[in-house]
Amino acid sequence: MQIYEELVARGLIAQTTDEAEIRELVNSGKAVFYIGFDPTADSLHVGHFMALCLMKRLQMAGNRPVVLIGGGTGYIGDPSGRTDMRSMMTPETIQHNCDCFKKQMERFIEFGEDKAIMVNNADWLLNLNYIELLRDVGACFSVNNMLRAECYKQRMEKGLSFLEFNYMIMQSYDFYHLFQHYGCNMQFGGDDQWSNMLGGTELIRKKLGKDAYAMTITLLLNSEGKKMGKTASGAVWLDPNKTTPFEFYQYWRNVGDADVLKCIRMLTFLPLEEIDKMDTWEGSQLNTAKEILAYELTKLVHGAEEADKAQAQARALFSSSVDADSAPTVEIAAADCADGKIDILTMLVKAELVASRSEARRAVEQGGVTVDGEKITDIKTAYAAADLADGKLVKRGKKSFKRIIVK
């Protein structure tokens, strides 16, 4: 099976323009393709993971990735899928986030001569002359068509700022620039980016003629991947300092039964023949599939050693008794203990087993919290810092636990 057919079989392709040409380019290893990443935080999250895996697959098949960091578009903010305007970031924050992205991407993509390249659209967008841009690029866009674009619909009810209205033009200009200066002939993005990507394809053809070779593909679940990057307690980050390897493993270990095989097919590099055999799995076999998914993805992001540790910790969680030594550890400074003690609500919050003290209170009152196997029902329960010097195992519900140590 060739790479384009594999992408289809894995459920990664939703829409294309010029499918026959795209298939030929990708299968022959002649695609120079880009995916953009706006630096909205100082870490990538699992919503970006699908795009990174796609780039890795295509590079392994001989195609050349162009990783575009949105240091310029980050000044505007993508309105796609948003009901409100993004917070304005300072230039220093944008640059810091760009630097963080680059370090993380190097774990997935091989950069170097004749390999993947990384570019920052700040290098060309920040130097554009406004009047020249309006005359040269603005004339190629119909406001009527832009207002019908899916990426703007959600914002129209509450009000779309002129700043965000320009985002489509900026993203389209990116493809135009990459086509001219890097020979980039293909762009990938989530289904929520379809209108923006079509804008880039049309801009190239209007400026350079109908024979200009520029095409687009969208990923079936990239926008769903962005949703997957959010949990009740926040985002699932690729940075181990923000989401530990164990937490990352547990996130995938706890996916729904209906989603596990889909995620294995789309996100892992296991052979399709092996995955096809799992299609008939049910019941307890789905738990095995979840372990496979969690282990494979944790290994991709954090390495085999961390994946082994996370798997051992998770298996301990589901055993009859949890080994405190295998639990992920949270250290609390003695200075944070009032009068030499720390209460159970603070312990739960510090361990990030809950998002707030009110949530911690509910967990205790509902009988869902234990410390070293003892159920805690009194929200005023507190422990002396000295008693936590060797650590105590704090567990919330059946699936979340931390070893808490005071130093």
Side-chain angles (χ1 to χ4, degrees):
M1 183 183 294
Q2 292 186 286
I3 184 60
Y4 184 83
E5 285 69 27
E6 181 179 346
L7 296 180
V8 173
R10 288 184 179 274
L12 289 167
I13 303 298
Q15 300 182 77
T16 68
T17 63
D18 311 299
E19 183 177 29
E21 290 85 354
I22 289 173
R23 179 186 292 107
E24 172 62 25
L25 274 179
V26 168
N27 286 343
S28 63
K30 295 179 181 178
V32 181
F33 68 97
Y34 99 89
I35 298 179
F37 300 82
D38 273 356
T40 54
D42 59 359
S43 173
L44 298 164
H45 57 67
V46 299
H48 299 113
F49 187 58
M50 184 181 295
L52 292 171
C53 289
L54 177 77
M55 298 184 100
K56 185 178 180 72
R57 293 184 203 279
L58 288 170
Q59 186 176 42
M60 290 169 64
N63 298 283
R64 190 179 193 193
V66 178
V67 178
L68 185 144
I69 302 294
T73 43
Y75 279 76
I76 298 175
D78 185 1
S80 301
R82 301 280 300 188
T83 58
D84 57 357
M85 185 173 170
R86 294 182 185 273
S87 300
M88 298 283 281
M89 296 184 293
T90 66
E92 292 77 16
T93 298
I94 291 173
Q95 184 58 53
H96 171 71
N97 292 351
C98 288
D99 294 340
C100 293
F101 274 26
K102 182 176 181 181
K103 290 179 182 178
Q104 291 179 335
M105 287 176 177
E106 288 172 345
R107 288 188 59 90
F108 296 88
I109 313 299
E110 189 175 0
F111 294 95
E113 188 174 354
D114 296 326
K115 296 177 181 177
I117 59 174
M118 182 175 290
V119 296
N120 188 327
N121 62 16
D123 293 340
W124 57 85
L125 292 182
L126 298 188
N127 296 323
L128 290 174
N129 178 284
Y130 184 63
I131 298 298
E132 290 179 1
L133 179 70
L134 287 178
R135 290 173 60 88
D136 188 41
V137 178
C140 298
F141 287 81
S142 162
V143 171
N144 290 346
N145 289 340
M146 291 174 71
L147 290 175
R148 285 193 291 268
E150 193 67 33
C151 61
Y152 292 141
K153 282 184 178 179
Q154 282 186 289
R155 295 304 315 282
M156 292 298 292
E157 293 182 8
K158 291 190 175 182
L160 177 71
S161 71
F162 183 70
L163 174 72
E164 296 169 291
F165 186 63
N166 280 270
Y167 191 90
M168 181 187 291
I169 295 176
M170 296 295 98
Q171 182 171 329
S172 299
Y173 189 87
D174 283 342
F175 194 23
Y176 176 58
H177 180 92
L178 294 175
F179 179 86
Q180 289 186 297
H181 295 272
Y182 296 92
C184 182
N185 51 27
M186 196 175 298
Q187 58 181 332
F188 285 76
D191 54 0
D192 59 337
Q193 295 293 312
W194 184 242
S195 298
N196 292 342
M197 293 195 297
L198 287 180
T201 299
E202 289 304 308
L203 177 60
I204 291 172
R205 291 177 176 173
K206 286 180 179 178
K207 294 295 298 179
L208 304 177
K210 292 184 178 180
D211 294 332
Y213 221 47
M215 293 164 287
T216 58
I217 296 181
T218 65
L219 308 186
L220 177 60
L221 289 176
N222 203 6
S223 59
E224 184 172 320
K226 292 178 180 178
K227 297 174 186 176
M228 287 195 298
K230 302 290 185 181
T231 68
S233 59
V236 179
W237 305 100
L238 305 191
D239 183 346
N241 295 316
K242 296 171 77 70
T243 297
T244 67
F246 172 76
E247 291 167 335
F248 187 84
Y249 180 99
Q250 280 297 93
Y251 173 77
W252 295 109
R253 176 63 181 80
N254 293 327
V255 299
D257 289 355
D259 295 327
V260 58
L261 293 179
K262 177 173 63 178
C263 289
I264 289 177
R265 191 175 297 277
M266 298 179 71
L267 298 176
T268 76
F269 285 78
L270 296 175
L272 282 170
E273 296 81 2
E274 183 178 337
I275 300 172
D276 288 341
K277 295 177 182 178
M278 301 179 190
D279 283 340
T280 58
W281 286 12
E282 55 186 21
S284 62
Q285 289 177 307
L286 292 178
N287 286 327
T288 302
K290 292 176 186 181
E291 278 200 340
I292 293 172
L293 172 68
Y295 182 84
E296 291 295 324
L297 298 191
T298 305
K299 183 172 68 173
L300 273 173
V301 175
H302 299 294
E305 183 178 352
E306 291 295 340
D308 289 339
K309 290 180 183 177
Q311 187 171 71
Q313 293 169 359
R315 286 176 174 173
L317 171 65
F318 286 98
S319 68
S320 57
S321 61
V322 177
D323 180 5
D325 291 334
S326 70
T329 299
V330 174
E331 293 185 359
I332 298 176
D336 291 337
C337 299
D339 298 325
K341 292 185 176 182
I342 183 168
D343 65 86
I344 187 62
L345 302 187
T346 301
M347 290 169 68
L348 288 166
V349 173
K350 291 284 186 181
E352 296 184 348
L353 294 172
V354 295
S356 64
R357 288 183 66 86
S358 59
E359 185 180 345
R361 178 189 292 268
R362 288 194 298 272
V364 172
E365 291 175 340
Q366 292 169 5
V369 176
T370 64
V371 176
D372 283 349
E374 179 185 353
K375 182 179 289 189
I376 306 301
T377 57
D378 185 354
I379 62 172
K380 295 181 180 179
T381 300
Y383 298 88
D387 292 337
L388 292 169
D390 294 327
K392 285 187 177 293
L393 187 68
V394 180
K395 192 173 180 182
R396 184 207 172 185
K398 296 181 179 180
K399 298 183 179 181
S400 301
F401 64 95
K402 296 283 181 68
R403 183 185 182 212
I404 298 180
I405 295 177
V406 172
K407 287 194 173 182

